[in-house]
Amino acid sequence: MLNGKTILVTGGTGSFGNAFTQYVLDHYTPKKIIIYSRDEYKQFIMANKFRKYKDTLRFFIGDVRDKERLYRAFDGVDYVVHAAALKQVPSCEFFPIEAVKTNVLGTENVLTAAIEASVKNIVCLSTDKAAYPVNAMGTSKAMMEKVIVAKSRTVKPEKTKICCTRYGNVLCSRGSVVPLWIEQIKAGNPITITEPSMTRFIMSLDEAVDLVLFAFEKGVSGDILVQKAPACTIEVLAKAITELFEPGHEIRVIGIRHGEKMYETLLTNEECANAVDMGKFYRVPCDKRDLNYDKYFKDGDKERNTLTEFNSSNTELLNVEQVKEKLLSLAYIREELEMWQKEQGK
């Protein structure tokens, strides 16, 4: 599928971009992979990491807010993964307009430039926080999804296919809670959790990459493709980390932060009306009706699917041992654990 193709990844120096790039280089022979991002230092680090692929990788400094720069970057590109985003909940709460500029308007810029450049296939990354959003980050991502679906209606899918993926928390991604807890343990401080009974979906970067590749291959333009995933309570996740690194380490409850939910949703009740269960994933197809108000007044959903809301409290809940097993499947955890054990003389 990606052999001989030119692929561009916005926000490509992030955790997903690194994992996606590694997977593509390991399993395909692309013509070129373009990493498009704002941070020259992260590009320097990534270029060193993948230095043996220097003939395949290209790095573009640019911001998704800059449409003209995107036009330049997309020349000759076949596939786009749009991963650039403001993702930190507290930052977006304090600077919501910045979240809009990047997550909503930036996505509009990416899609417009990609269509103008005749990019064949675009997959945009969304989050469980976009379903029933209660914070600025989730709200901006929900609007991003609306932009994606609306934009897909403006172009023939044989020219440019546009899909969106939605998934939950990625374990050990940059800025996530597990690396923070490991730092707290190493510093000799209690690890801090907000609310022990809070549930969150958990998945690996490899699973996130798998969903994007599925969207490239099987998605229909306008689709939102939802990752099915297990979940666990925050208390279980914290206990799993402490048992791996330092059994009995203090866990301190600090209370729920602004904009946090007790559980996250990946598939809403409203989306269940037309969603398709595809085994590992749910498919939420685009509403293909045009803007004919008469139809909206007269036509509704006569038959609804029997699917129900899919959230982090009604999915499979993992116990401590299961979470430890999942954590140990990640190279990041194995490397951190090995370094920690050497430091402790174990």
Side-chain angles (χ1 to χ4, degrees), residues 137-190:
M137 195 279 269
T139 301
S140 68
K141 282 289 195 174
M143 277 301 298
M144 181 195 84
E145 291 184 358
K146 297 297 184 185
V147 168
I148 292 163
V149 173
K151 203 72 172 179
S152 74
R153 298 190 186 104
T154 69
V155 60
K156 293 181 178 179
E158 55 267 27
K159 179 191 176 187
T160 301
K161 185 176 83 172
I162 303 170
C163 293
C164 179
T165 63
R166 185 194 293 164
Y167 52 80
N169 292 359
V170 176
L171 285 170
C172 304
S173 58
R174 190 168 61 215
S176 62
V177 72
V178 170
L180 169 65
W181 288 345
I182 292 173
E183 289 178 12
Q184 289 174 331
I185 289 172
K186 289 183 175 181
N189 298 322

Short mmCIF file of all heavy atoms in Angstrom, two decimals, residues 137-190:
data_model
loop_
_atom_site.label_atom_id
_atom_site.label_comp_id
_atom_site.label_asym_id
_atom_site.label_seq_id
_atom_site.Cartn_x
_atom_site.Cartn_y
_atom_site.Cartn_z
N MET A 137 -9.95 21.32 24.86
CA MET A 137 -9.23 20.43 23.95
C MET A 137 -10.21 19.50 23.25
O MET A 137 -10.20 19.36 22.02
CB MET A 137 -8.19 19.61 24.71
CG MET A 137 -7.17 18.93 23.79
SD MET A 137 -7.75 17.39 23.05
CE MET A 137 -7.21 16.22 24.27
N GLY A 138 -11.11 18.85 24.02
CA GLY A 138 -12.09 17.96 23.43
C GLY A 138 -13.04 18.68 22.49
O GLY A 138 -13.39 18.17 21.42
N THR A 139 -13.45 19.88 22.87
CA THR A 139 -14.35 20.66 22.03
C THR A 139 -13.69 21.02 20.70
O THR A 139 -14.31 20.94 19.64
CB THR A 139 -14.80 21.94 22.76
OG1 THR A 139 -15.45 21.57 23.98
CG2 THR A 139 -15.74 22.76 21.92
N SER A 140 -12.43 21.41 20.75
CA SER A 140 -11.71 21.75 19.51
C SER A 140 -11.54 20.52 18.63
O SER A 140 -11.63 20.60 17.40
CB SER A 140 -10.35 22.39 19.82
OG SER A 140 -9.46 21.45 20.40
N LYS A 141 -11.33 19.36 19.24
CA LYS A 141 -11.20 18.12 18.46
C LYS A 141 -12.56 17.69 17.89
O LYS A 141 -12.63 17.12 16.79
CB LYS A 141 -10.62 17.01 19.34
CG LYS A 141 -9.11 17.11 19.53
CD LYS A 141 -8.38 16.76 18.25
CE LYS A 141 -6.92 16.49 18.46
NZ LYS A 141 -6.26 16.01 17.24
N ALA A 142 -13.64 17.94 18.64
CA ALA A 142 -14.97 17.63 18.12
C ALA A 142 -15.27 18.49 16.89
O ALA A 142 -15.81 18.01 15.88
CB ALA A 142 -16.03 17.87 19.20
N MET A 143 -14.90 19.77 16.96
CA MET A 143 -15.07 20.65 15.80
C MET A 143 -14.15 20.22 14.66
O MET A 143 -14.53 20.29 13.48
CB MET A 143 -14.78 22.10 16.19
CG MET A 143 -15.95 22.80 16.84
SD MET A 143 -17.41 22.85 15.76
CE MET A 143 -16.79 23.78 14.37
N MET A 144 -12.97 19.74 14.99
CA MET A 144 -12.05 19.22 13.97
C MET A 144 -12.71 18.07 13.21
O MET A 144 -12.67 18.02 11.97
CB MET A 144 -10.75 18.73 14.62
CG MET A 144 -9.74 18.19 13.62
SD MET A 144 -8.41 17.22 14.36
CE MET A 144 -9.24 15.62 14.47
N GLU A 145 -13.37 17.16 13.94
CA GLU A 145 -14.05 16.05 13.29
C GLU A 145 -15.14 16.55 12.35
O GLU A 145 -15.34 16.01 11.26
CB GLU A 145 -14.64 15.11 14.33
CG GLU A 145 -13.61 14.33 15.13
CD GLU A 145 -14.22 13.32 16.10
OE1 GLU A 145 -15.47 13.26 16.18
OE2 GLU A 145 -13.46 12.60 16.76
N LYS A 146 -15.89 17.58 12.78
CA LYS A 146 -16.94 18.14 11.93
C LYS A 146 -16.34 18.73 10.65
O LYS A 146 -16.91 18.59 9.55
CB LYS A 146 -17.73 19.21 12.68
CG LYS A 146 -18.49 18.71 13.89
CD LYS A 146 -19.55 17.70 13.54
CE LYS A 146 -20.36 17.29 14.76
NZ LYS A 146 -21.32 16.20 14.44
N VAL A 147 -15.19 19.40 10.78
CA VAL A 147 -14.51 19.96 9.62
C VAL A 147 -14.10 18.85 8.66
O VAL A 147 -14.27 18.96 7.43
CB VAL A 147 -13.27 20.78 10.06
CG1 VAL A 147 -12.38 21.13 8.86
CG2 VAL A 147 -13.71 22.06 10.77
N ILE A 148 -13.58 17.76 9.20
CA ILE A 148 -13.12 16.63 8.38
C ILE A 148 -14.28 16.03 7.59
O ILE A 148 -14.20 15.82 6.37
CB ILE A 148 -12.46 15.56 9.27
CG1 ILE A 148 -11.16 16.09 9.86
CG2 ILE A 148 -12.21 14.27 8.49
CD1 ILE A 148 -10.65 15.30 11.05
N VAL A 149 -15.38 15.75 8.29
CA VAL A 149 -16.54 15.14 7.63
C VAL A 149 -17.11 16.09 6.58
O VAL A 149 -17.43 15.69 5.45
CB VAL A 149 -17.60 14.74 8.67
CG1 VAL A 149 -18.88 14.27 7.98
CG2 VAL A 149 -17.07 13.64 9.59
N ALA A 150 -17.25 17.38 6.93
CA ALA A 150 -17.78 18.36 5.99
C ALA A 150 -16.88 18.49 4.76
O ALA A 150 -17.37 18.57 3.62
CB ALA A 150 -17.95 19.71 6.68
N LYS A 151 -15.58 18.50 4.99
CA LYS A 151 -14.64 18.65 3.87
C LYS A 151 -14.69 17.45 2.93
O LYS A 151 -14.52 17.59 1.71
CB LYS A 151 -13.22 18.83 4.43
CG LYS A 151 -12.27 19.53 3.48
CD LYS A 151 -12.59 21.00 3.36
CE LYS A 151 -11.53 21.75 2.59
NZ LYS A 151 -11.87 23.18 2.45
N SER A 152 -14.94 16.26 3.51
CA SER A 152 -14.99 15.06 2.68
C SER A 152 -16.12 15.12 1.66
O SER A 152 -16.06 14.47 0.61
CB SER A 152 -15.16 13.82 3.56
OG SER A 152 -16.49 13.72 4.07
N ARG A 153 -17.16 15.90 1.96
CA ARG A 153 -18.30 16.02 1.04
C ARG A 153 -17.98 16.91 -0.16
O ARG A 153 -18.74 16.93 -1.13
CB ARG A 153 -19.51 16.61 1.77
CG ARG A 153 -20.04 15.79 2.94
CD ARG A 153 -21.38 16.38 3.41
NE ARG A 153 -21.88 15.74 4.61
CZ ARG A 153 -21.83 16.25 5.83
NH1 ARG A 153 -21.27 17.44 6.00
NH2 ARG A 153 -22.32 15.61 6.87
N THR A 154 -16.90 17.67 -0.09
CA THR A 154 -16.60 18.66 -1.13
C THR A 154 -15.68 18.13 -2.22
O THR A 154 -15.40 18.85 -3.18
CB THR A 154 -15.94 19.90 -0.51
OG1 THR A 154 -14.61 19.57 -0.04
CG2 THR A 154 -16.77 20.45 0.64
N VAL A 155 -15.21 16.90 -2.09
CA VAL A 155 -14.25 16.37 -3.06
C VAL A 155 -14.61 14.92 -3.37
O VAL A 155 -15.03 14.17 -2.49
CB VAL A 155 -12.81 16.48 -2.51
CG1 VAL A 155 -12.64 15.71 -1.22
CG2 VAL A 155 -11.78 16.03 -3.52
N LYS A 156 -14.46 14.54 -4.62
CA LYS A 156 -14.74 13.16 -5.01
C LYS A 156 -13.72 12.23 -4.35
O LYS A 156 -12.51 12.50 -4.39
CB LYS A 156 -14.69 13.01 -6.53
CG LYS A 156 -15.81 13.75 -7.25
CD LYS A 156 -15.73 13.56 -8.75
CE LYS A 156 -16.89 14.27 -9.45
NZ LYS A 156 -16.82 14.11 -10.93
N PRO A 157 -14.18 11.14 -3.75
CA PRO A 157 -13.25 10.26 -3.02
C PRO A 157 -12.18 9.64 -3.91
O PRO A 157 -11.09 9.33 -3.43
CB PRO A 157 -14.17 9.18 -2.43
CG PRO A 157 -15.45 9.28 -3.19
CD PRO A 157 -15.57 10.69 -3.63
N GLU A 158 -12.48 9.48 -5.21
CA GLU A 158 -11.44 8.93 -6.10
C GLU A 158 -10.31 9.92 -6.33
O GLU A 158 -9.20 9.53 -6.72
CB GLU A 158 -12.03 8.50 -7.44
CG GLU A 158 -12.81 9.58 -8.17
CD GLU A 158 -14.30 9.56 -7.86
OE1 GLU A 158 -14.69 9.11 -6.76
OE2 GLU A 158 -15.07 10.01 -8.73
N LYS A 159 -10.58 11.22 -6.05
CA LYS A 159 -9.51 12.21 -6.12
C LYS A 159 -8.77 12.28 -4.79
O LYS A 159 -7.54 12.15 -4.73
CB LYS A 159 -10.07 13.59 -6.47
CG LYS A 159 -8.96 14.65 -6.54
CD LYS A 159 -9.50 16.06 -6.62
CE LYS A 159 -8.33 17.05 -6.59
NZ LYS A 159 -8.77 18.46 -6.50
N THR A 160 -9.51 12.50 -3.70
CA THR A 160 -8.92 12.60 -2.36
C THR A 160 -9.86 11.96 -1.35
O THR A 160 -10.99 12.41 -1.19
CB THR A 160 -8.68 14.07 -1.97
OG1 THR A 160 -7.81 14.70 -2.93
CG2 THR A 160 -8.04 14.16 -0.59
N LYS A 161 -9.38 10.92 -0.70
CA LYS A 161 -10.16 10.27 0.36
C LYS A 161 -9.74 10.85 1.71
O LYS A 161 -8.55 10.96 2.00
CB LYS A 161 -9.92 8.75 0.36
CG LYS A 161 -10.80 8.00 1.35
CD LYS A 161 -10.60 6.49 1.26
CE LYS A 161 -9.41 6.03 2.05
NZ LYS A 161 -9.33 4.56 2.13
N ILE A 162 -10.73 11.24 2.52
CA ILE A 162 -10.47 11.87 3.81
C ILE A 162 -11.16 11.06 4.90
O ILE A 162 -12.38 10.88 4.87
CB ILE A 162 -11.00 13.32 3.84
CG1 ILE A 162 -10.37 14.15 2.71
CG2 ILE A 162 -10.73 13.96 5.20
CD1 ILE A 162 -11.01 15.51 2.52
N CYS A 163 -10.40 10.57 5.87
CA CYS A 163 -10.95 9.81 6.99
C CYS A 163 -10.40 10.38 8.31
O CYS A 163 -9.41 11.11 8.33
CB CYS A 163 -10.59 8.33 6.90
SG CYS A 163 -11.36 7.47 5.52
N CYS A 164 -11.06 9.98 9.37
CA CYS A 164 -10.65 10.40 10.72
C CYS A 164 -10.58 9.17 11.61
O CYS A 164 -11.41 8.27 11.51
CB CYS A 164 -11.66 11.41 11.26
SG CYS A 164 -11.32 11.99 12.93
N THR A 165 -9.57 9.11 12.47
CA THR A 165 -9.49 8.04 13.46
C THR A 165 -9.67 8.64 14.85
O THR A 165 -9.25 9.77 15.12
CB THR A 165 -8.14 7.31 13.41
OG1 THR A 165 -7.07 8.22 13.72
CG2 THR A 165 -7.90 6.70 12.04
N ARG A 166 -10.32 7.87 15.72
CA ARG A 166 -10.55 8.32 17.09
C ARG A 166 -10.13 7.21 18.05
O ARG A 166 -10.60 6.08 17.92
CB ARG A 166 -12.03 8.66 17.30
CG ARG A 166 -12.36 9.26 18.68
CD ARG A 166 -13.86 9.24 18.94
NE ARG A 166 -14.61 10.13 18.05
CZ ARG A 166 -15.92 10.05 17.88
NH1 ARG A 166 -16.63 9.12 18.50
NH2 ARG A 166 -16.54 10.89 17.07
N TYR A 167 -9.25 7.54 18.96
CA TYR A 167 -8.81 6.53 19.93
C TYR A 167 -8.53 7.17 21.28
O TYR A 167 -8.49 8.39 21.42
CB TYR A 167 -7.60 5.74 19.42
CG TYR A 167 -6.43 6.56 18.94
CD1 TYR A 167 -5.53 7.11 19.83
CD2 TYR A 167 -6.20 6.75 17.58
CE1 TYR A 167 -4.44 7.84 19.39
CE2 TYR A 167 -5.11 7.48 17.13
CZ TYR A 167 -4.24 8.03 18.04
OH TYR A 167 -3.17 8.76 17.60
N GLY A 168 -8.33 6.33 22.28
CA GLY A 168 -8.15 6.80 23.65
C GLY A 168 -6.70 7.06 24.01
O GLY A 168 -5.86 7.30 23.14
N ASN A 169 -6.40 7.02 25.31
CA ASN A 169 -5.07 7.35 25.79
C ASN A 169 -4.03 6.37 25.27
O ASN A 169 -4.22 5.15 25.32
CB ASN A 169 -5.03 7.32 27.33
CG ASN A 169 -5.84 8.44 27.94
OD1 ASN A 169 -6.40 9.26 27.22
ND2 ASN A 169 -5.91 8.49 29.25
N VAL A 170 -2.93 6.91 24.77
CA VAL A 170 -1.82 6.08 24.30
C VAL A 170 -0.79 5.99 25.42
O VAL A 170 -0.24 7.01 25.85
CB VAL A 170 -1.19 6.66 23.02
CG1 VAL A 170 0.03 5.84 22.61
CG2 VAL A 170 -2.22 6.69 21.89
N LEU A 171 -0.54 4.78 25.89
CA LEU A 171 0.39 4.58 27.00
C LEU A 171 1.77 5.09 26.65
O LEU A 171 2.32 4.78 25.59
CB LEU A 171 0.47 3.09 27.36
CG LEU A 171 -0.72 2.51 28.11
CD1 LEU A 171 -0.61 0.99 28.18
CD2 LEU A 171 -0.82 3.09 29.52
N CYS A 172 2.33 5.88 27.54
CA CYS A 172 3.72 6.34 27.47
C CYS A 172 3.98 7.33 26.33
O CYS A 172 5.13 7.59 26.00
CB CYS A 172 4.70 5.16 27.35
SG CYS A 172 4.52 3.97 28.69
N SER A 173 2.92 7.89 25.74
CA SER A 173 3.14 8.94 24.75
C SER A 173 3.63 10.19 25.47
O SER A 173 3.44 10.35 26.68
CB SER A 173 1.85 9.23 23.97
OG SER A 173 0.82 9.62 24.85
N ARG A 174 4.27 11.08 24.71
CA ARG A 174 4.85 12.27 25.33
C ARG A 174 3.78 13.13 25.98
O ARG A 174 2.74 13.40 25.40
CB ARG A 174 5.59 13.09 24.26
CG ARG A 174 6.43 14.21 24.85
CD ARG A 174 7.35 14.80 23.83
NE ARG A 174 6.61 15.35 22.71
CZ ARG A 174 7.04 15.31 21.45
NH1 ARG A 174 8.17 14.74 21.15
NH2 ARG A 174 6.32 15.85 20.48
N GLY A 175 4.02 13.53 27.23
CA GLY A 175 3.08 14.34 27.97
C GLY A 175 2.02 13.56 28.70
O GLY A 175 1.17 14.16 29.37
N SER A 176 2.05 12.22 28.59
CA SER A 176 1.03 11.40 29.26
C SER A 176 1.48 11.09 30.69
O SER A 176 2.59 11.41 31.12
CB SER A 176 0.76 10.12 28.48
OG SER A 176 1.92 9.31 28.40
N VAL A 177 0.60 10.40 31.43
CA VAL A 177 0.79 10.29 32.88
C VAL A 177 1.86 9.27 33.28
O VAL A 177 2.55 9.47 34.29
CB VAL A 177 -0.56 9.98 33.56
CG1 VAL A 177 -1.00 8.54 33.28
CG2 VAL A 177 -0.50 10.23 35.05
N VAL A 178 2.04 8.20 32.52
CA VAL A 178 2.98 7.16 32.94
C VAL A 178 4.42 7.68 33.00
O VAL A 178 5.11 7.45 34.01
CB VAL A 178 2.86 5.91 32.03
CG1 VAL A 178 4.01 4.93 32.29
CG2 VAL A 178 1.52 5.21 32.28
N PRO A 179 4.92 8.38 31.98
CA PRO A 179 6.27 8.95 32.12
C PRO A 179 6.40 9.89 33.31
O PRO A 179 7.44 9.93 33.97
CB PRO A 179 6.48 9.69 30.79
CG PRO A 179 5.60 8.98 29.83
CD PRO A 179 4.38 8.60 30.62
N LEU A 180 5.33 10.65 33.61
CA LEU A 180 5.35 11.54 34.78
C LEU A 180 5.51 10.73 36.06
O LEU A 180 6.31 11.09 36.94
CB LEU A 180 4.07 12.36 34.83
CG LEU A 180 3.81 13.14 36.12
CD1 LEU A 180 4.88 14.22 36.31
CD2 LEU A 180 2.41 13.75 36.13
N TRP A 181 4.75 9.65 36.20
CA TRP A 181 4.84 8.83 37.39
C TRP A 181 6.23 8.22 37.56
O TRP A 181 6.76 8.14 38.67
CB TRP A 181 3.79 7.72 37.34
CG TRP A 181 2.39 8.22 37.56
CD1 TRP A 181 2.01 9.43 38.06
CD2 TRP A 181 1.18 7.51 37.28
NE1 TRP A 181 0.64 9.53 38.11
CE2 TRP A 181 0.10 8.36 37.64
CE3 TRP A 181 0.90 6.24 36.76
CZ2 TRP A 181 -1.23 7.96 37.50
CZ3 TRP A 181 -0.42 5.86 36.63
CH2 TRP A 181 -1.47 6.71 36.99
N ILE A 182 6.82 7.78 36.46
CA ILE A 182 8.16 7.20 36.53
C ILE A 182 9.16 8.25 37.01
O ILE A 182 10.04 7.97 37.85
CB ILE A 182 8.56 6.61 35.17
CG1 ILE A 182 7.68 5.39 34.85
CG2 ILE A 182 10.04 6.20 35.16
CD1 ILE A 182 7.87 4.83 33.45
N GLU A 183 9.03 9.47 36.51
CA GLU A 183 9.90 10.56 36.97
C GLU A 183 9.69 10.82 38.47
O GLU A 183 10.67 11.05 39.21
CB GLU A 183 9.60 11.84 36.18
CG GLU A 183 10.07 11.82 34.74
CD GLU A 183 9.70 13.09 34.00
OE1 GLU A 183 9.29 14.06 34.67
OE2 GLU A 183 9.82 13.11 32.77
N GLN A 184 8.44 10.78 38.93
CA GLN A 184 8.16 11.00 40.35
C GLN A 184 8.78 9.91 41.21
O GLN A 184 9.34 10.19 42.28
CB GLN A 184 6.65 11.08 40.56
CG GLN A 184 6.03 12.35 39.99
CD GLN A 184 4.50 12.36 40.09
OE1 GLN A 184 3.85 11.30 40.07
NE2 GLN A 184 3.91 13.54 40.18
N ILE A 185 8.70 8.67 40.76
CA ILE A 185 9.30 7.56 41.51
C ILE A 185 10.82 7.75 41.58
O ILE A 185 11.43 7.62 42.65
CB ILE A 185 8.95 6.21 40.85
CG1 ILE A 185 7.46 5.89 41.07
CG2 ILE A 185 9.81 5.08 41.44
CD1 ILE A 185 6.97 4.67 40.30
N LYS A 186 11.43 8.09 40.46
CA LYS A 186 12.89 8.25 40.42
C LYS A 186 13.35 9.42 41.30
O LYS A 186 14.45 9.39 41.85
CB LYS A 186 13.36 8.45 38.98
CG LYS A 186 13.26 7.19 38.12
CD LYS A 186 13.81 7.42 36.73
CE LYS A 186 13.81 6.13 35.92
NZ LYS A 186 14.37 6.31 34.56
N ALA A 187 12.49 10.43 41.42
CA ALA A 187 12.83 11.59 42.25
C ALA A 187 12.54 11.34 43.73
O ALA A 187 12.83 12.20 44.57
CB ALA A 187 12.09 12.82 41.77
N GLY A 188 11.94 10.20 44.04
CA GLY A 188 11.61 9.88 45.42
C GLY A 188 10.35 10.58 45.92
O GLY A 188 10.12 10.64 47.13
N ASN A 189 9.53 11.05 44.99
CA ASN A 189 8.30 11.73 45.37
C ASN A 189 7.10 10.79 45.22
O ASN A 189 7.15 9.83 44.44
CB ASN A 189 8.07 12.96 44.48
CG ASN A 189 9.18 13.98 44.63
OD1 ASN A 189 9.68 14.20 45.73
ND2 ASN A 189 9.57 14.61 43.53
N PRO A 190 6.01 11.06 45.95
CA PRO A 190 4.80 10.25 45.75
C PRO A 190 4.30 10.42 44.31
O PRO A 190 4.46 11.50 43.71
CB PRO A 190 3.79 10.85 46.73
CG PRO A 190 4.60 11.66 47.69
CD PRO A 190 5.81 12.13 46.95
#
